[in-house]
């Protein structure tokens, strides 16, 4: 599924690497990235490209796709599952299990692909808060607040080379929590 040039530009910049000063290993140049576009303008394709790359190319052990509501997380899962099913001739042998039952949705790859997993959950009700995700997507991030982020961010602090991506519609207020990321950048 080809990306528009602006989508590829965001991914290329967000996945830029640098050498770790202590180990010399390549690590993410940015541990936090964001993308804010009006509704239905292509952020979902960027999310899919990241998740497919992290799963199949980089074998990230655990990826979290967290959305503000269960229905939004479920839609993200349907998009990824459809992409995988449409390309089963290429990706099918890598899939160990796809599950979608009882509000739990995810994909697990075989040992050849580091048993990488992609889990989908809603932030409502604290789902996904007990996991330590090396790579995390926060969909509809304009709805985030400081209390929730104080709970989520420490789960990545002990990870090697963590990265969190925030996606959403530009918030309606200049005091939205997400603008603290812009200020920190």
């Amino acid at each position: 599924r080809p990306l528009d040039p602006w989508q590829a530009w965001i991914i290329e910049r967000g996945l830029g690497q640098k050498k770790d000063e202590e180990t010399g290993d390549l690590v993410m140049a940015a541990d936090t990235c964001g993308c804010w576009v009006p509704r239905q303008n292509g952020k979902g394709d960027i999310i899919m490209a990241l998740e497919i790359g992290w799963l199949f190319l980089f074998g990230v052990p655990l990826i979290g796709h967290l959305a503000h509501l269960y229905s939004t997380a479920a839609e993200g899962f349907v998009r990824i599952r459809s992409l995988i099913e449409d390309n089963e001739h290429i990706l099918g042998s890598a899939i160990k299990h796809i599950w979608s039952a009882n509000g739990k949705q995810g994909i697990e790859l075989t040992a050849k692909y580091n048993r990488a997993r992609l889990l989908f959950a809603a932030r409502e009700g604290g789902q996904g808060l007990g996991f330590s995700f090396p790579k995390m997507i926060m969909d509809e991030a304009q709805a985030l607040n400081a209390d929730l982020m104080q709970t989520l961010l420490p789960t990545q602090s002990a990870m090697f080379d963590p990265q969190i991506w925030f996606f959403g519609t530009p918030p309606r207020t200049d005091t939205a929590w997400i603008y603290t990321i812009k200020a920190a950048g």
Side-chain angles (χ1 to χ4, degrees):
R1 184 175 174 126
L3 295 172
D4 289 341
W6 72 270
Q7 294 167 320
W9 186 90
I10 288 171
I11 290 173
E12 288 169 4
R13 288 348 175 249
L15 293 181
Q17 295 181 312
K18 65 179 181 179
K19 281 200 176 203
D20 183 274
E21 293 177 9
E22 293 179 21
T23 66
D25 294 335
L26 285 176
V27 296
M28 295 285 103
D31 59 6
T32 304
C33 299
C35 179
W36 307 99
V37 294
R39 298 206 174 278
Q40 305 302 315
N41 274 289
K43 70 178 172 66
D45 288 344
I46 297 170
I47 293 170
M48 285 197 324
L50 286 168
E51 291 173 344
I52 290 293
W54 286 336
L55 272 174
F56 293 96
L57 299 177
F58 300 107
V60 174
L62 185 59
I63 305 156
H65 178 125
L66 305 177
H68 67 315
L69 300 173
Y70 173 76
S71 59
T72 305
E75 182 59 28
F77 170 74
V78 168
R79 288 176 55 117
I80 287 285
R81 185 181 66 197
S82 296
L83 182 68
I84 290 171
E85 288 171 352
D86 290 348
N87 293 282
E88 189 172 351
H89 61 287
I90 299 169
L91 305 174
S93 65
I95 304 295
K96 178 179 180 183
H97 186 63
I98 296 178
W99 65 93
S100 176
N102 302 323
K104 306 235 185 270
Q105 298 171 317
I107 299 163
E108 182 178 358
L109 303 187
T110 62
K112 180 180 177 184
Y113 292 88
N114 201 33
R115 291 187 172 83
R117 293 182 297 151
L118 171 58
L119 304 181
F120 293 81
R123 295 187 301 264
E124 67 184 13
Q127 292 182 7
L129 297 183
F131 293 94
S132 295
F133 298 110
K135 307 294 184 215
M136 191 178 341
I137 298 287
M138 295 295 241
D139 197 5
E140 299 296 337
Q142 73 276 3
L144 290 168
N145 60 50
D147 290 337
L148 179 62
M149 292 313 299
Q150 286 177 346
T151 304
L152 280 172
L153 291 180
T155 65
Q156 285 195 308
S157 65
M159 296 275 151
F160 174 75
D161 201 20
Q163 194 173 48
I164 184 169
W165 284 69
F166 296 94
F167 290 90
T169 301
R172 295 181 182 152
T173 173
D174 291 341
T175 59
W177 176 87
I178 201 65
Y179 286 131
T180 62
I181 291 173
K182 181 180 177 185

CSV table of all heavy atoms in Angstrom, one decimal, residues 50-70:
chain,number,residue,atom,x,y,z
A,50,LEU,N,3.9,1.9,10.2
A,50,LEU,CA,4.8,1.7,11.4
A,50,LEU,C,4.6,0.3,12.0
A,50,LEU,O,5.5,-0.4,12.3
A,50,LEU,CB,4.4,2.8,12.5
A,50,LEU,CG,4.9,4.2,12.2
A,50,LEU,CD1,4.3,5.2,13.1
A,50,LEU,CD2,6.5,4.2,12.3
A,51,GLU,N,3.3,-0.1,12.2
A,51,GLU,CA,3.0,-1.3,12.9
A,51,GLU,C,3.5,-2.5,12.0
A,51,GLU,O,4.1,-3.5,12.6
A,51,GLU,CB,1.5,-1.4,13.2
A,51,GLU,CG,1.1,-0.5,14.3
A,51,GLU,CD,-0.3,-0.3,14.6
A,51,GLU,OE1,-1.2,-0.8,13.7
A,51,GLU,OE2,-0.7,0.2,15.6
A,52,ILE,N,3.3,-2.5,10.7
A,52,ILE,CA,3.7,-3.6,9.9
A,52,ILE,C,5.3,-3.6,9.9
A,52,ILE,O,5.8,-4.7,9.9
A,52,ILE,CB,3.2,-3.4,8.4
A,52,ILE,CG1,1.7,-3.6,8.4
A,52,ILE,CG2,3.9,-4.3,7.4
A,52,ILE,CD1,1.2,-5.1,8.7
A,53,GLY,N,5.9,-2.5,9.8
A,53,GLY,CA,7.4,-2.5,9.8
A,53,GLY,C,7.9,-3.0,11.1
A,53,GLY,O,8.9,-3.8,11.1
A,54,TRP,N,7.4,-2.5,12.2
A,54,TRP,CA,7.8,-3.0,13.6
A,54,TRP,C,7.6,-4.5,13.7
A,54,TRP,O,8.5,-5.2,14.2
A,54,TRP,CB,7.1,-2.2,14.7
A,54,TRP,CG,7.6,-0.8,14.9
A,54,TRP,CD1,8.8,-0.3,14.6
A,54,TRP,CD2,6.8,0.2,15.5
A,54,TRP,NE1,8.8,1.0,14.9
A,54,TRP,CE2,7.6,1.4,15.5
A,54,TRP,CE3,5.5,0.3,16.0
A,54,TRP,CZ2,7.2,2.6,16.0
A,54,TRP,CZ3,5.1,1.5,16.6
A,54,TRP,CH2,5.9,2.6,16.5
A,55,LEU,N,6.5,-5.0,13.2
A,55,LEU,CA,6.3,-6.5,13.3
A,55,LEU,C,7.2,-7.3,12.4
A,55,LEU,O,7.9,-8.1,12.9
A,55,LEU,CB,4.8,-6.7,12.9
A,55,LEU,CG,3.7,-6.7,13.9
A,55,LEU,CD1,2.4,-6.9,13.3
A,55,LEU,CD2,3.9,-7.7,15.0
A,56,PHE,N,7.1,-7.0,11.1
A,56,PHE,CA,7.7,-7.9,10.1
A,56,PHE,C,9.2,-7.5,9.8
A,56,PHE,O,9.9,-8.4,9.4
A,56,PHE,CB,6.9,-7.9,8.8
A,56,PHE,CG,5.5,-8.5,9.0
A,56,PHE,CD1,4.4,-7.7,9.3
A,56,PHE,CD2,5.4,-9.9,8.9
A,56,PHE,CE1,3.2,-8.3,9.4
A,56,PHE,CE2,4.1,-10.5,9.1
A,56,PHE,CZ,3.0,-9.7,9.3
A,57,LEU,N,9.6,-6.3,9.9
A,57,LEU,CA,10.9,-5.9,9.5
A,57,LEU,C,11.9,-5.9,10.7
A,57,LEU,O,13.0,-6.3,10.6
A,57,LEU,CB,11.0,-4.6,8.8
A,57,LEU,CG,10.2,-4.5,7.5
A,57,LEU,CD1,10.3,-3.1,6.9
A,57,LEU,CD2,10.8,-5.5,6.5
A,58,PHE,N,11.4,-5.4,11.8
A,58,PHE,CA,12.2,-5.2,13.0
A,58,PHE,C,12.0,-6.2,14.1
A,58,PHE,O,12.7,-6.2,15.1
A,58,PHE,CB,12.0,-3.7,13.5
A,58,PHE,CG,12.4,-2.7,12.5
A,58,PHE,CD1,11.4,-2.0,11.9
A,58,PHE,CD2,13.7,-2.5,12.1
A,58,PHE,CE1,11.8,-1.0,10.9
A,58,PHE,CE2,14.1,-1.6,11.2
A,58,PHE,CZ,13.1,-0.8,10.6
A,59,GLY,N,10.9,-6.9,14.1
A,59,GLY,CA,10.6,-8.0,15.1
A,59,GLY,C,10.5,-7.4,16.5
A,59,GLY,O,11.0,-8.0,17.4
A,60,VAL,N,9.9,-6.2,16.6
A,60,VAL,CA,9.7,-5.6,17.9
A,60,VAL,C,8.9,-6.6,18.8
A,60,VAL,O,7.8,-7.0,18.4
A,60,VAL,CB,9.1,-4.2,17.8
A,60,VAL,CG1,8.7,-3.7,19.2
A,60,VAL,CG2,9.9,-3.3,17.1
A,61,PRO,N,9.4,-7.0,20.0
A,61,PRO,CA,8.7,-8.0,20.7
A,61,PRO,C,7.2,-7.7,21.1
A,61,PRO,O,6.4,-8.6,21.1
A,61,PRO,CB,9.5,-8.1,22.0
A,61,PRO,CG,10.8,-7.4,21.8
A,61,PRO,CD,10.6,-6.5,20.6
A,62,LEU,N,6.9,-6.4,21.4
A,62,LEU,CA,5.6,-6.1,21.9
A,62,LEU,C,5.3,-4.6,21.5
A,62,LEU,O,6.0,-3.7,21.9
A,62,LEU,CB,5.4,-6.2,23.4
A,62,LEU,CG,4.1,-6.0,24.0
A,62,LEU,CD1,3.0,-7.0,23.3
A,62,LEU,CD2,4.1,-6.2,25.5
A,63,ILE,N,4.3,-4.5,20.7
A,63,ILE,CA,3.8,-3.2,20.2
A,63,ILE,C,2.4,-2.9,20.7
A,63,ILE,O,1.6,-3.8,20.6
A,63,ILE,CB,3.8,-3.2,18.6
A,63,ILE,CG1,5.1,-3.6,18.1
A,63,ILE,CG2,3.3,-1.8,18.1
A,63,ILE,CD1,5.1,-4.1,16.7
A,64,GLY,N,2.2,-1.8,21.2
A,64,GLY,CA,0.9,-1.4,21.7
A,64,GLY,C,0.2,-0.4,20.8
A,64,GLY,O,0.8,0.6,20.5
A,65,HIS,N,-1.0,-0.6,20.5
A,65,HIS,CA,-1.9,0.3,19.7
A,65,HIS,C,-3.0,0.7,20.7
A,65,HIS,O,-3.9,-0.1,20.9
A,65,HIS,CB,-2.4,-0.3,18.4
A,65,HIS,CG,-3.3,0.6,17.6
A,65,HIS,ND1,-3.1,0.9,16.3
A,65,HIS,CD2,-4.4,1.2,18.0
A,65,HIS,CE1,-4.0,1.7,15.9
A,65,HIS,NE2,-4.9,1.9,16.9
A,66,LEU,N,-2.9,1.8,21.3
A,66,LEU,CA,-3.9,2.3,22.3
A,66,LEU,C,-4.7,3.4,21.7
A,66,LEU,O,-4.1,4.4,21.3
A,66,LEU,CB,-3.2,2.7,23.6
A,66,LEU,CG,-2.3,1.6,24.2
A,66,LEU,CD1,-1.6,2.2,25.5
A,66,LEU,CD2,-3.0,0.3,24.5
A,67,ALA,N,-6.0,3.3,21.8
A,67,ALA,CA,-6.9,4.4,21.4
A,67,ALA,C,-7.8,4.8,22.5
A,67,ALA,O,-7.9,4.1,23.5
A,67,ALA,CB,-7.7,3.9,20.2
A,68,HIS,N,-8.4,5.9,22.4
A,68,HIS,CA,-9.2,6.5,23.5
A,68,HIS,C,-10.4,5.6,23.8
A,68,HIS,O,-10.8,5.5,24.9
A,68,HIS,CB,-9.6,7.9,23.2
A,68,HIS,CG,-10.5,8.1,22.1
A,68,HIS,ND1,-10.3,7.5,20.9
A,68,HIS,CD2,-11.6,8.9,21.9
A,68,HIS,CE1,-11.3,7.9,20.0
A,68,HIS,NE2,-12.1,8.8,20.7
A,69,LEU,N,-11.0,5.0,22.7
A,69,LEU,CA,-12.2,4.2,22.9
A,69,LEU,C,-11.9,2.8,22.3
A,69,LEU,O,-11.1,2.6,21.3
A,69,LEU,CB,-13.4,4.8,22.1
A,69,LEU,CG,-13.8,6.2,22.6
A,69,LEU,CD1,-14.9,6.7,21.6
A,69,LEU,CD2,-14.3,6.1,24.0
A,70,TYR,N,-12.6,1.8,22.8
A,70,TYR,CA,-12.5,0.4,22.3
A,70,TYR,C,-12.8,0.4,20.8
A,70,TYR,O,-12.1,-0.3,20.0
A,70,TYR,CB,-13.4,-0.5,23.0
A,70,TYR,CG,-13.4,-1.9,22.4
A,70,TYR,CD1,-12.3,-2.7,22.6
A,70,TYR,CD2,-14.5,-2.3,21.6
A,70,TYR,CE1,-12.3,-4.0,22.0
A,70,TYR,CE2,-14.5,-3.6,21.1
A,70,TYR,CZ,-13.4,-4.4,21.2
A,70,TYR,OH,-13.4,-5.6,20.7
